[in-house]
Each structure stands twice: as C-alpha cells, then as structure tokens.
C-alpha cells in the first residue's frame, strides 16, 4: 500500500502564536499570499480571503473567528 500524505512535503512548519504582534504578522502574511502570486493587486480583493473584513469591516463571504480582546491590547 502506498503512503498518502495529507500535507505537501517541504518548507513549512507549525508554530505557537503567543502574542498579538505575531498574530497580526501571521494574518497579514496569509492575506498577502494572493498578492505575492499576482492574483490580485490588493489582498482585500481576493474572494476567498478574510482580508476585506480586517481592512474594511464590511459584509464579506468569509468572516474570521473573533480575536479575544486581550490579544488586541498588547
């Protein structure tokens, strides 16, 4: 039986996010992926991203989980 991988091999690694600065950085990094691949000019324009909600706070199809207020006070 051939082994099946759920994730692609290589480059990535998981990490614990322990402060608001790191959380903000990771959210921004993910939001910019379609921009880096030249799929859109602005991250908020990517249909499957929560970026529009973070930047504009208007009705969007993808609403992220609420960030606990204590994470935003740092």
């Amino acid at each position: 039986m051939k082994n099946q991988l759920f994730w692609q091999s290589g480059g990535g690694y998981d990490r614990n996010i322990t402060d608001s600065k790191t959380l903000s950085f990771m959210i921004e990094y993910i939001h910019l992926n379609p921009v880096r691949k030249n799929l859109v000019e602005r991250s908020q324009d990517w249909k499957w991203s929560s970026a529009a909600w973070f930047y504009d706070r208007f009705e969007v199809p993808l609403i992220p989980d609420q960030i606990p207020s204590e994470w935003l006070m740092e």
Side-chain angles (χ1 to χ4, degrees):
M1 180 176 190
K2 185 177 177 180
N3 289 337
Q4 297 287 323
L5 295 176
F6 183 75
W7 299 107
Q8 292 179 338
S9 299
Y13 59 93
D14 51 343
R15 61 193 60 80
N16 292 320
I17 299 173
T18 58
D19 59 65
S20 62
K21 184 177 179 181
T22 303
L23 177 61
S24 295
F25 175 81
M26 298 308 297
I27 291 170
E28 184 68 13
Y29 178 86
I30 292 167
H31 284 163
L32 288 173
N33 281 337
V35 176
R36 283 190 287 274
K37 291 294 184 178
N38 295 316
L39 298 170
V40 291
E41 288 186 26
R42 302 176 320 146
S43 59
Q44 13 332 13
D45 296 334
W46 187 243
K47 180 180 177 180
W48 298 277
S49 174
S50 61
W53 185 88
F54 275 94
Y55 292 113
D56 301 327
R57 306 277 179 170
F58 63 84
E59 290 293 320
V60 293
L62 182 62
I63 298 172
D65 292 339
Q66 186 173 0
I67 299 171
S69 59
E70 61 269 14
W71 279 71
L72 301 174
M73 293 182 178
E74 292 182 18

